[in-house]
Structure formats: C-alpha cells, structure tokens
Amino acid sequence: MKKWSSLALAVTLGAVLTLSGCGGNNNNASTEATAGTNAAATTAPESSPETSANTQDTLILGRGGDSASLDPAIVTDGESLKIAHQVFDSLLEYKPGTSEVQASLADSWEVSADGLTYTFKLHPGVKFHDGTDFNAEAVVFNFTRWSDPASEFKFEGDSFDYYDSMFGPDGSRVIKEVKAVDATTVEFTLNQPQAPFLQNIAMTSFGIASPAAIQEKKENFKNEPVGTGPFVFTEWKHNDSITLDKNPNYWKEGLPKLNKVIVRSIPDNSARFNALQNGEIDLMEDLSPDDLSTLEGNTELQKIERPPFNVAYLGFNFKKKPFDNVKVRQALNYAVNKQAIIDAFFSGQATAAVNPMPPSLWGYNDAVQDYAYDLDKAKALLAEAGYPDGLPDTVTLYAMPVSRPYMPDGKKVAEAIQADWEKIGVKTVIESPEWATYLDDTKAGEKDDIYMLGWTGDNGDPDNFLYTLLDKDAIPGNNRSFYVNEDLHTILINAQKETDQTKRSDLYKQAQEIIKADAPWIPLVHTTPLLAAKANLKGFVPGPTGTEYYSEIYFE
Amino acid sequence: MNSYLLKRVMVLFPVLIGMTIIVFSIIHAIPGDPAETILGQKATEQSKQALREQLGLDKPWLQQYFNYMGDLVQGDLGTSIRTKTPIAKEIMPYLAATLELTAASMLFATIVGVNAGILSAWRQNSWFDYTAMIIALIGVSMPIFWLGLMEQMLFALKLHWLPSIGRMDQRNPVESITNLYVIDTILAGDWRQLWTVIKHLILPSIALGTIPMAIIARMTRSSMLEVMNSDYIRTAKAKGLSQFLVVYKHALKNALIPVLTVVGLQTGALLGGAVLTETIFAWPGVGRYIFEAISSRDYPVIQTGILIIAFIFVFINLLVDLLYAVIDPRINYK
C-alpha cells in the first residue's frame, strides 16, 4: 500500500515538473493542435504564432532602435526620420532609390536668373490628416516656425538642427523670406544663392506639418504628428512599436497599397533575424553580414541591398605629432589592405573607398588614384619623414564600439589594420570607449591619435560630405581631424554659391584631389547596407539616405 | 509587529537617499557629453550649447543634485531629456512589462525549483537527485543571452511552437489599461489574445527564470535535507503518516523559510537584471528603458529608474520579512 502511494506521488510530481518546466511546450503543442481544428470552423487559421496568414495587407518591420521624436524638424537621427517620412510629405522628394529630386507637394518650380527667388506651384486639393487644407500658408507657417528663434512653436528643449545646418544658423540664414503669393503659390527669397537648395528642401526634416495640429497639440505634436503623407500616425509604444494606418484620402492615386504598418524595435541583430525567419516580422533592417549565407539559403526570404551612400574612414588627428606630417599620413595610407578587410569583415558587401564621398554621387572624381597597398612605399615614406625604424611611440587608434551601417564591427577592422601597420614598424593600441565618450574624445582630439568614423549622406549633394566633414568650418564638430586647408575652404565655399552644376562638379573634383594629396583620412569602404524580407514582399525600393516610402509596398 | 513595520519603513528613506547620491555621483563621473549624445552627431554646436544650459548641465553636479531632489520631494519625477516626456508618465508601461515578466519568471522558477529541490532531498543520491543538481549547476552558470537565442532557435524557428519576440500579437492589439497584458486581455474578454500573451511570456520567462530556478532548487534541497533529519519528522514518520503528508505538510513548511528569502532576493535581482532578456526578446521593459537612458546619458531617467527599482527591491525584502512571521509563528518582532 505504502509502495503504491509513493509511486503515485512520484508520478504526479514528475508530471507537475514536466508540465511546469519544459513541458510548457507539450502543453502548448496540444493546444496548438486543437486551435488548428477549431480554426477550420472559424476563418483565420493560425499558421505561425504571429501571422494571420492570407490577408497580408499589414507590414511588420523590425529595426534596431526606436524613434526619438516623431516631429522630423527637431531630430537628426535616421530612426526618427524613417517614421516621419511616412507621415509627412516635403515640397520635393527624392526619386525612390536615388538622391535625385522630383516633385512632391510642389508640382513645379521656377528659379530666377540670379538664383535668389524660387517659386513653387503647390499641388491643389491636398489635405492634412486632421482634415485641414494644405496650402501656401501652411508652408509659410512651417518655415517661419523653423527659422524664427522666437517662434512660439519652438517648444522647450527643441532645436531645428537640420534647418540651421542646411540653411545657415540664425544671423546667417540663406532663406530671407517665404511668402504665400496665393493659395497654391509659394515664393522663397534667398539672401545669397545656394546651389543645393532644392536638394535640401526635399529632405524629410522639412516635411510640411499641419499648422492647426501644431497650434492645438503644442509640445505633444512630437508624439502625435500630423502631415499629408501616405500613412496616418496611430500609436507609439516607446521602445516597442509604432503603428501607422493607411491614409484613405492620400493625394497620390492608388497609394498606399498597405493597410497598416507596424514598426517594431528589436535591438538585437540575431533576435531580429530570428523573428524574420519565424514570420513574426516581414522586413528587417541592418542584417549582419555574418547572417548573409543563412539568408541566401532560405527560399522564403529575399535579400535587399541599400545603395551605398556612405563612407567609413580612419581620420588622423592633426593636433598630434607626427600626424601633422603629410608623409606619415601617406605612409599609413599605403599600409592598409582594404580589399582584405572587405573580404574578411563585409562578406563582400562593400567597395574600397578612394575619396571621402561615394562614387554614386555626382561630382565624384574617378581620376583620383588611391594609395595602393604597398608596404615598401610606406616604409620609404616613413623614412623620408624621419622615421626609418617606424614610429617611436605607440599610436592610439580609436575603434568604434557600436555597429553602424558603414561599419558593422569596428574593432575587428581595427585589429586587421593594427596587424598591417605592425609590419612597417607602427605599433598601435586600440581603444573603444563607450559611444558617447567616443564621440566626445574624438571631438576634443586630446586622447586619440587616429580615429575611426563614418558618414551617411543626408541629401544628394557632395557638399554634405566634403564641406560637412573636412572643411575648417566643421571644427569643432564633424571635422575631427582638425584638418585646415585654406585652398580647399575657398573651393568648397565657392561651390556652395555656384548654381551651375557642371561648374560645381568641377570644383568638387578639385577638392577631392587636394584631399587625396593631403591625406587627412584613410577612406576605408563604402558599404552596401543589407535588409532582408519575406520573398513575397514587393515594391520596396531602398533609399540611399536610409529612408524610403512604405507606400508602394505590397504582398503577393 | 506594527512598530517593526514602521521601523522598517523609516529605514527606507536613508537607503533611498543614499542610493540617489551614489547614482548621481557615478553617472556624472562618466565622461561623454550628454548634449552630443542626445542630439546626435549631426546637431549644430549652437543647439548643443543651448540644451546644456537649458538642462542645467553646465552647473556643478551638487547643485544639479539638489535641484533634482527638490523636484522629487514635490512629487516631480523629472522629465526625460531625450523624449521630453514626464518620467512618471513614461515609465509605467515599462514597469508593468517588467513586472509581468518577472512574475512569470518567478512563478516558473519557484514551482520548478521547489519541486525539484523536494524530490532531490526526498530521493537523496538517486539518479533524479544527481540529474536535477547537475541541471541546477548548468542553470546557474548559463549566460542568459545565449540561452535566450537558443530557445528562439529551437522553439520558434525549428518547431514553430512559440513566438520569439514581443509581448502580444501586434496585428490585433488589445487596449492597454493596466499594461499587464495578461490582465488586460482578461478585462477585454479576449481569450485568444490571452493565449498569445501567455505564449509570448513562456520563452523569456524561462530564460530569465533559469538562474533563480537553479538557486531555489539547491536551496530547497539542502533546507529539506536538514529538516527531514530532525526529530519531529521522525516522529511523524513513526506515527505512520504517508510519505506525501510528511514531506509536503510537515517538512516543507519549515524548509520553506530560507527558500523564501532566496525567492525574495532573486525577484529583486531580476527586476534590475532583466536587460539582456528584454533585449533578446524585444521586451519593452524597465531594464531596457534604463539601459537606453544610460547610453544616451538621459540623467533624469537613469536616476528615477534606478530609484524606483531600489524602492521595489526594498519593498520586496520587507514583504519577505513579514511573510516569515506568517509562516513561522515563532518568529515575531517586538
């Protein structure tokens, strides 16, 4: 009797154990099966945990981070702009997949002969999501909000950084006046000609917001944006998801094709890829090059390549000796084997960089020759610079602690370069402080001798690479090399004022020659950032600047 | 009992104030310019300077500390620098998400851990005992992120039994009332969604609960062994009581006291330590909330977030102490 009871107890306890532990899955499997039989009676069979199968008019996109704000005027980060791009239209836009400008809210435009007056004809009959009219007054309202430092719609803590950097900070504004001529005509008067003006106007940051909504919601506008775009903002669960619904009254015929877009933040790259393979998301950003072979082996998925529109580079710190010496900089340029780095760490998804801007951008100088990988030449140059036995001191090389589209794994690349340099007698120590500190240190230029960084273009203009990163005006800030060349400065400033694109292109080509000779950087790679999607997802055209419209996407 | 309770609550204040001082000093000692981190690489110098002034970051940290404490006393938990939203409003959903996950993890850890511990003690030196203790040993030393990814590979990718990320089926969300989705779905009467919410909980709570489960199992085992050898158990056995009654009624009650301490401590530890699990499973919890605040140097959020976790931790410990008295009447506080 006693024997029996103890046996029964053991069995019961064992059952409890399995049920509560790993048995959670048995449990689940059986219910899944019953759910399956029930589903036959109802309509939506549950094929995999999160997909409701056949009716695919909802897109779930997985990305690494969340938006900081939904008002595009006050942000500069790509994650925020991605969402804003769906909710807002700008006067102009980039042709999908390129950085070429085309009409959007403005149907057409005229430029005066002196390049000082731009007249835009607006698309008639467009409405904001809140039902108010889009018109010339709305355009004036938005531009006034961004340019007037005393604007009552510039809320506490906000700054319109992109407005300031594209159209000059207060005191040296490019735009003098924005005037509503009539309901569908807007006239911009400039203080001085600005060649990339149309490129700038097309940026997502200058999306036109509903004046009524800003006046009514005030600070809260950044959480509840209202524009004219293909999708209407519905809900934002911070660090989790943003839900956008179809704008049924969208002014572009037949768009958007999707009914709903849910953008989820899934910080871990592997977890995001797992979720895609499991059907919980339909499209993912920032695939690690390491996962490429798994992706290519899966017929249910497709690979999407974003056009390369970035540059990763090593910058020399001119404040530190001997990196103020051009021969030393050139020597180190000769001692980096870019192709080996691309093969080892980028799964071939990159090209060796010669110039500080990507080859797809107009004004790129094909004639510039790169410093080929040549250790003998490097040694000779070091000897000429007075270091026949290599550099006497150990060099501090800053390698990025975070993954970026232009550099998935900075530390590994730095180690490869460290090994190359060792061969010419240059000893390096790699440092990777946490990101905020990293940016701070490189900007101060006190701790690093050489640093790794990169840039993704904001608009389709060479100015956004060359002037932004290498002009003396960008110190302190993006020119973390503290590189000053007066001739280069004159050329870049002239190029900003020149309105003839052929002449501008020539100026930028000259600029690239000067930069190559001075070698303030070692341009490393232009990467092709990877995305992955379900095979039946169609109509997604990846944009070079990192933002694209989801309005053309549909499922087959 | 009441005076003990009062004393315990009074001790809370210096603990929490000490906590704020430590947190405040540490995060202000970390290098890195918050203005640059918050506004991004592409922001202009002018606007960064403006932000620093507006946030008072140009002031000495002692003054910043007193300003912060002044607001806190008036019930103002501060405003996030990054999202510019009041933290009190912002933190609730994160806190609820973490509480739900922690509760599920501890439920898993306690049920499995206690039962495994009892069985091991009862059948000491049997194959079950050895297996369970080896599993417990592996469990304690398992890296959470690795376990999490392996679970996703097996149960989500290979077997398609369970979802790998998130908290519920996003395509048909249920309105958030309490932000505890198990409760929200019950309130909404949406049983299908309740089931998906539970399914979403399984993998992350196993990942998060494995370490405490192993600790609890080992604790229960040694505590049970001690009790099982005591006189009153021998008496109970001699009286001819069934094994089940002896183990589950007489022995367990006394063996549970040290186990309870471990459960309490582990629950507190999970609250703060959930960052990895929350990252792998895209769980929008308070661990990730604070982690992101740290990487963007969002000082008010870091301070308040840690303060709230510290508060809960202390509160749980208080609860455990009070429960002792309920389980064992010999323990009383005068």
Side-chain angles (χ1 to χ4, degrees):
Chain A
M1 189 64 198
K2 207 174 158 193
K3 221 180 197 173
W4 276 110
S5 67
S6 60
L7 186 65
L9 178 60
V11 171
T12 336
L13 284 177
V16 167
L17 248 179
T18 20
L19 271 179
S20 50
C22 37
N25 312 308
N26 293 339
N27 204 359
N28 177 52
S30 60
T31 329
E32 193 85 28
T34 44
T37 42
N38 290 343
T42 56
T43 41
E46 224 182 11
S47 57
S48 67
E50 281 215 7
T51 43
S52 44
N54 26 28
T55 48
Q56 261 283 48
D57 57 359
T58 299
L59 168 76
I60 301 189
L61 182 146
R63 58 171 177 169
D66 198 11
S67 293
S69 162
L70 301 179
D71 179 354
I74 61 170
V75 295
T76 53
D77 66 300
E79 297 304 341
S80 294
L81 292 171
K82 265 171 211 166
I83 302 299
H85 202 57
Q86 317 308 321
V87 177
F88 296 91
D89 290 311
S90 301
L91 290 180
L92 306 176
E93 65 183 27
Y94 303 111
K95 214 166 141 189
T98 71
S99 52
E100 230 173 277
V101 168
Q102 67 177 20
S104 181
L105 282 175
D107 281 334
S108 62
W109 58 92
E110 272 170 28
V111 191
S112 65
D114 59 2
L116 289 176
T117 314
Y118 286 74
T119 312
F120 292 92
K121 263 298 188 205
L122 305 180
H123 195 86
V126 177
K127 291 213 184 288
F128 288 107
H129 300 157
D130 58 3
T132 56
D133 289 324
F134 162 77
N135 52 31
E137 286 301 333
V139 178
V140 175
F141 176 91
N142 277 278
F143 276 87
T144 312
R145 176 182 177 226
W146 303 327
S147 62
D148 177 8
S151 169
E152 61 172 311
F153 302 111
K154 178 177 179 168
F155 305 112
E156 206 193 330
D158 291 351
S159 51
F160 302 115
D161 283 317
Y162 264 140
Y163 190 88
D164 289 351
S165 74
M166 297 297 141
F167 301 120
D170 191 34
S172 56
R173 298 276 198 217
V174 170
I175 301 175
K176 189 174 166 191
E177 196 195 4
V178 186
K179 205 168 67 186
V181 179
D182 58 52
T184 56
T185 314
V186 186
E187 194 180 276
F188 286 73
T189 316
L190 310 190
N191 282 318
Q192 77 237 22
Q194 186 187 40
F197 184 73
L198 293 174
Q199 292 284 348
N200 291 346
I201 287 285
M203 288 170 63
T204 312
S205 293
F206 309 125
I208 305 297
S210 158
I214 293 182
Q215 284 159 347
E216 186 201 314
K217 295 174 194 268
K218 304 226 161 52
E219 288 90 343
N220 214 18
F221 184 79
K222 60 174 77 79
N223 293 319
E224 296 167 13
V226 179
T228 60
F231 291 96
V232 181
F233 167 78
T234 310
E235 196 191 13
W236 183 10
K237 288 183 186 154
H238 290 263
N239 275 342
D240 182 30
S241 62
I242 292 175
T243 307
L244 305 169
D245 279 312
K246 176 183 187 156
N247 175 2
N249 306 314
Y250 191 47
W251 56 280
K252 284 185 190 167
E253 204 72 28
L255 295 179
K257 294 176 179 169
L258 291 165
N259 200 31
K260 191 186 259 220
V261 174
I262 300 166
V263 181
R264 303 184 67 160
S265 315
I266 307 168
D268 187 76
N269 276 0
S270 321
R272 194 160 62 245
F273 189 48
N274 281 349
L276 177 72
Q277 289 172 282
N278 197 30
E280 290 167 72
I281 60 175
D282 307 308
L283 174 66
M284 73 166 276
E285 293 186 336
D286 303 325
L287 183 85
S288 314
D290 299 340
D291 288 329
L292 187 60
S293 54
T294 317
L295 172 71
E296 283 172 337
N298 189 335
T299 51
E300 284 170 22
L301 301 178
Q302 59 174 313
K303 174 177 85 171
I304 299 175
E305 295 180 328
R306 199 187 285 292
F309 201 60
N310 55 36
V311 61
Y313 60 88
L314 290 178
F316 294 104
N317 182 354
F318 281 51
K319 280 182 165 184
K320 294 291 192 74
K321 285 197 180 311
F323 305 105
D324 52 347
N325 183 337
V326 65
K327 293 218 164 104
V328 173
R329 297 196 301 267
Q330 287 172 338
L332 291 176
N333 258 284
Y334 275 117
V336 173
N337 190 348
K338 295 178 193 174
Q339 198 51 50
I341 291 172
I342 292 168
D343 295 341
F345 306 114
F346 291 86
S347 298
Q349 297 291 319
T351 52
V354 179
N355 286 317
M357 57 188 247
S360 55
L361 189 54
W362 61 268
Y364 183 82
N365 194 336
D366 293 310
V368 170
Q369 284 293 316
D370 200 9
Y371 299 103
Y373 180 59
D374 188 337
L375 295 178
D376 294 332
K377 240 182 190 157
K379 277 185 201 155
L381 273 165
L382 273 186
E384 272 181 53
Y387 304 101
D389 306 319
L391 297 182
D393 300 321
T394 304
V395 174
T396 305
L397 172 62
Y398 263 46
M400 296 169 30
V402 291
S403 154
R404 280 286 176 277
Y406 47 77
M407 182 58 70
D409 194 335
K411 277 183 236 175
K412 280 190 196 157
V413 171
E415 280 163 18
I417 292 168
Q418 182 181 41
D420 273 342
W421 285 352
E422 188 91 48
K423 295 174 196 156
I424 56 163
V426 177
K427 285 202 178 57
T428 44
V429 50
I430 297 171
E431 284 187 19
S432 271
E434 180 267 349
W435 191 224
T437 315
Y438 189 95
L439 291 175
D440 225 27
D441 283 358
T442 50
K443 195 165 84 180
E446 301 301 332
K447 293 188 179 155
D448 59 307
D449 295 320
I450 300 172
Y451 64 97
M452 181 187 287
L453 217 57
W455 187 260
T456 300
D458 294 309
N459 59 17
D461 201 281
D463 182 67
N464 185 251
F465 280 90
L466 302 182
Y467 176 79
T468 311
L469 301 173
L470 286 158
D471 192 81
K472 67 169 190 173
D473 287 354
I475 303 173
N478 291 316
N479 182 348
R480 287 158 200 255
S481 287
F482 305 92
Y483 163 57
V484 179
N485 182 319
E486 292 298 339
D487 292 342
L488 178 71
H489 177 66
T490 314
I491 289 175
L492 292 175
I493 294 295
N494 285 342
Q496 283 179 339
K497 292 183 183 149
E498 179 58 63
T499 46
D500 181 339
Q501 185 159 334
T502 326
K503 286 185 191 155
R504 289 191 73 209
S505 183
D506 288 340
L507 287 170
Y508 285 124
K509 283 181 180 166
Q510 280 178 45
Q512 287 162 68
E513 278 165 22
I514 295 175
I515 294 165
K516 194 80 228 176
D518 282 346
W521 286 5
I522 304 174
L524 291 175
V525 290
H526 306 293
T527 65
T528 304
L530 286 175
L531 297 90
K534 281 188 183 161
N536 65 344
L537 182 141
K538 304 281 163 179
F540 178 86
V541 184
T545 60
T547 50
E548 44 269 317
Y549 283 113
Y550 304 149
S551 52
E552 302 266 1
I553 298 176
Y554 63 97
F555 290 92
E556 244 173 17
Chain B
M1 186 76 196
N2 280 341
S3 68
Y4 173 72
L5 188 68
L6 195 70
K7 228 194 293 175
R8 280 298 311 259
V9 173
M10 292 306 284
V11 170
L12 256 166
F13 290 101
V15 168
L16 292 178
I17 290 172
M19 198 74 207
T20 58
I21 294 175
I22 295 169
V23 170
F24 216 90
S25 327
I26 291 175
I27 57 177
H28 282 77
I30 310 173
D33 174 12
E36 167 123 20
T37 326
I38 293 157
L39 294 176
Q41 236 176 304
K42 294 182 176 180
T44 60
E45 207 45 47
Q46 222 177 3
S47 63
K48 283 182 218 161
Q49 190 50 38
L51 181 71
R52 265 175 232 132
E53 278 164 26
Q54 182 224 331
L55 296 171
L57 293 172
D58 47 349
K59 300 204 177 72
W61 80 263
L62 204 66
Q63 195 181 339
Q64 291 183 44
Y65 176 75
F66 283 116
N67 289 345
Y68 174 73
M69 288 307 280
D71 289 344
L72 210 58
V73 171
Q74 290 164 33
D76 179 0
L77 293 183
T79 304
S80 160
I81 301 176
R82 202 171 93 96
T83 62
K84 288 144 194 149
T85 319
I87 297 167
K89 190 177 141 202
E90 200 177 58
I91 202 168
M92 281 322 291
Y94 296 110
L95 209 55
T98 298
L99 284 179
E100 192 168 66
L101 178 60
T102 311
S105 305
M106 286 315 292
L107 204 67
F108 159 75
T110 315
I111 293 176
V112 180
V114 167
N115 280 303
I118 293 171
L119 278 179
S120 295
W122 189 6
R123 293 273 176 265
Q124 199 190 351
N125 299 329
S126 69
W127 63 266
F128 180 87
D129 183 23
Y130 290 130
T131 325
M133 287 307 113
I134 287 170
I135 292 174
L137 189 69
I138 297 170
V140 184
S141 33
M142 185 96 79
I144 293 187
F145 68 92
W146 185 82
L147 178 63
L149 284 173
M150 286 307 113
E151 282 180 1
Q152 283 184 354
M153 293 282 253
L154 183 61
F155 296 110
L157 284 188
K158 293 270 178 279
L159 300 170
H160 290 290
W161 286 353
L162 294 166
S164 66
I165 50 148
R167 295 183 66 194
M168 67 153 89
D169 179 359
Q170 293 276 351
R171 286 172 217 257
N172 313 294
V174 163
E175 196 196 345
S176 315
I177 303 163
T178 62
N179 282 305
L180 296 164
Y181 287 175
V182 172
I183 294 175
D184 283 346
T185 47
I186 293 173
L187 288 179
D190 187 342
W191 309 117
R192 194 197 65 83
Q193 187 66 270
L194 172 64
W195 177 231
T196 63
V197 167
I198 292 171
K199 282 205 288 190
H200 278 88
L201 269 167
I202 294 174
L203 292 185
S205 42
I206 292 176
L208 190 59
T210 297
I211 292 177
M213 185 260 284
I215 296 174
I216 290 168
R218 296 210 299 196
M219 193 70 202
T220 311
R221 180 178 179 271
S222 62
S223 175
M224 275 300 274
L225 282 176
E226 207 174 301
V227 173
M228 291 291 275
N229 291 329
S230 60
D231 291 344
Y232 81 99
I233 293 295
R234 214 172 304 138
T235 315
K237 279 184 185 162
K239 277 198 311 189
L241 283 181
S242 75
Q243 282 270 28
F244 185 83
L245 273 182
V246 171
V247 171
Y248 275 83
K249 192 161 171 235
H250 296 271
L252 188 58
K253 209 170 164 189
N254 284 317
L256 265 188
I257 293 170
V259 174
L260 196 65
T261 316
V262 174
V263 171
L265 285 175
Q266 287 298 317
T267 312
L270 285 196
L271 276 174
V275 184
L276 286 175
T277 317
E278 288 174 359
T279 304
I280 298 290
F281 292 96
W283 195 270
V286 79
R288 246 179 84 200
Y289 179 62
I290 297 175
F291 177 74
E292 281 183 22
I294 292 172
S295 43
S296 61
R297 298 283 188 279
D298 197 339
Y299 292 157
V301 171
I302 309 172
Q303 276 141 221
T304 308
I306 294 181
L307 199 64
I308 288 177
I309 291 203
F311 183 83
I312 297 177
F313 193 88
V314 177
F315 179 76
I316 290 173
N317 278 340
L318 177 70
L319 212 65
V320 168
D321 280 358
L322 296 180
L323 271 177
Y324 283 167
V326 176
I327 293 182
D328 187 349
R330 286 174 307 175
I331 304 173
N332 59 10
Y333 305 96
K334 284 227 172 92

